[in-house]
Amino acid sequence: MIRVQRETFDVGAEIASLCAGDTAAGGVCVFLGRVREFAHGAALQAMTLEHYPGMTERQLEALDAEAQRRWLLEKTLIIHRYGRLLPGEAIVLVVTAAAHREAAFDACRFLIDCLKTTAPFWKAEETAAGSRWVDARAADDAAALSWQDGAAAGGS
Amino acid sequence: MIRVQRETFDVGAEIASLCAGDTAAGGVCVFLGRVREFAHGAALQAMTLEHYPGMTERQLEALDAEAQRRWLLEKTLIIHRYGRLLPGEAIVLVVTAAAHREAAFDACRFLIDCLKTTAPFWKAEETAAGSRWVDARAADDAAALSWQDGAAAGGS
Amino acid sequence: MLTILYFASVKEKAGCGEETVRLPAAVTDVMGLVAWLRQRGGGPAAALTDLAAVRVAVNQEYARLDHPLTGDEEVAFFPPVTGGAP
Amino acid sequence: MLTILYFASVKEKAGCGEETVRLPAAVTDVMGLVAWLRQRGGGPAAALTDLAAVRVAVNQEYARLDHPLTGDEEVAFFPPVTGGAP
C-alpha cells in the first residue's frame, strides 16, 4: 500500500493498523525518515519537498510490487510526504511485515534505497542563506545499484 | 536504553518518546517481533517466554553498548517481554536512530540478530498437543556470526 | 498535443512548470524534442543545456533520449531525485 | 556458597530451578562442577548428560567449561537461547 500526502502521519497508528489482526507476520521492519536540523553544515529552518504527482504514485507502486515479488511479505506500507516540513518532522515511512525478520529487513531497506533514487521528489533546504535545491547523493545511487542483481542485502 | 518487562508496550509511543525533540536523527529503524499463530505447522495457542533476570539486562546492555561503539547512533532502545504471550502480541522492539539510514539499519539488524543468540530467553510453545520448548535455529547462529568480524551487513 | 513538465531546479531554470506544444513533424524522439527546445531558446533551452543533470520521463515512466515520441505524450524533465530521508 | 541456576528445558530435567551448594575443594572450574553434579546423580545429573545442548554462565556472563570457580559464584546452566522474534 502506498500513500503520497502533504499532512503528517502517526507512525504508531500506521503500524498498528497494518498489523491489526495479523498473526502471520513475526517480523515487522520500519524505516522512518525525518528532517534533520543540521543537514549540510548550516542550520535548517525548513525543507520543501516538491514531487511529480502521478509519476510518484506509479513509481512507489512499482517498487512495492517489486518488493512483493522478491520477498514473501505479509504487508507493506510506504507513505511519503511533500510540501514544507520543519526539523524533526517525518518525511517518509516504510513498513514491511513478514513471517521472518530477514525478509522484513531486506525488503524495507530495498524500498527506501530504491525510493531515494527513483521516486520523483526533490528537496529544497531553507537556511539563513536562503533556499537551495539539494543535490543527489552518490552514496544513494550506490545503495540502489546494489539491489540490481537481486542482491539480498543493501550497500554498506 | 533497554527494558525487560512482562507487560506489553505501545510501539508508537516508544518511537515518539525516543525521537521527541531530536532533530539530528534523520533515519530511524525499528524492528518489531511478534508472536506468530502458525510457528511450526501446528496452530499456536500461546507462547511463554522464560528469561534469566539479571543476566538478560546485562546482555542487552552489552549489545546496546557494542552497537553504540560500532555505529554513530543518536538513540537506541531495546524492549523485550517475558511471560505468556498470545498470537499477534509483541515480543521484542528494537529502535535505532542515526543521522543516516545506513547506520540505523545496520545497528538495528545487528541488535536483533545478536540478541537472538545471546540474550537468555527461552520460548515454550503451547499447541493442542501440549507445551514444548522451541529449539534454537541454526540460521540465527549464522546471522549472529556474520557480525563477528565487524561485518557491515547481516546474514542473508 | 505534447505536454512538457519541468520540476525543481529544472523548472526554475525553465521559468515555467508546464507547457503544451505541437510537436514538429521532424521530431520523433526525446533527443529531437530537446534539440528543438534548445533551438527555440529561452528558459527551457537554458534548463536543458547540461543533460547530464537532467532526467527524463515519458508518460510518467523514466525514459532514455532515444525514446520515441508521437506528439501526444507527457514528457517531464527534472534533476536527479532527492526524496526519502538522510 | 555457590548458587546454581537451571533454566527452561534444563530446569525441567533438573527438577529444580535453583540450588545452593558448598563446593568441594577438589572442584576448581565449571567442568569440575559438572563432573561433581553428574556423580551426585538425580535431576541435575540427567540435565547435564549432554553438554552439547547446554550453555553455561558464571556470574551472569557466558563462560566456558574451563572457567575457574572459587565457590561463591552464581553458575547457570541452560539450553541455547531462543528469544527475539521469528
Side-chain angles (χ1 to χ4, degrees), chain D:
Chain D
M1 297 295 280
L2 188 88
T3 301
I4 309 179
L5 303 174
Y6 305 95
F7 290 100
S9 56
V10 173
K11 176 168 71 180
E12 282 186 0
K13 285 181 203 150
C16 78
E18 179 169 354
E19 61 173 317
T20 305
V21 300
R22 186 175 304 278
L23 205 61
V27 174
T28 58
D29 61 12
V30 172
M31 193 64 237
L33 173 64
V34 169
W36 179 70
L37 289 168
R38 281 172 170 170
Q39 182 194 323
R40 196 186 61 174
L48 300 176
T49 302
D50 178 14
L51 281 190
V54 174
R55 300 291 175 267
V56 183
V58 174
N59 291 336
Q60 306 189 347
E61 298 283 356
Y62 283 99
R64 304 192 325 174
L65 292 176
D66 61 359
H67 191 96
L69 294 177
T70 61
D72 59 357
E73 288 89 354
E74 175 176 297
V75 179
F77 296 104
F78 48 77
V81 306
T82 55

Side-chain angles (χ1 to χ4, degrees), chain A residues 5 12 22 33 38-40 46 50 53 56 75 79 88 94 107 112 120 137 153:
Chain A
Q5 62 189 46
D22 181 297
F38 292 93
H40 298 97
E50 181 174 330
T56 304
K75 311 267 184 183
I79 304 178
V94 178
I112 189 68
R137 275 213 308 164

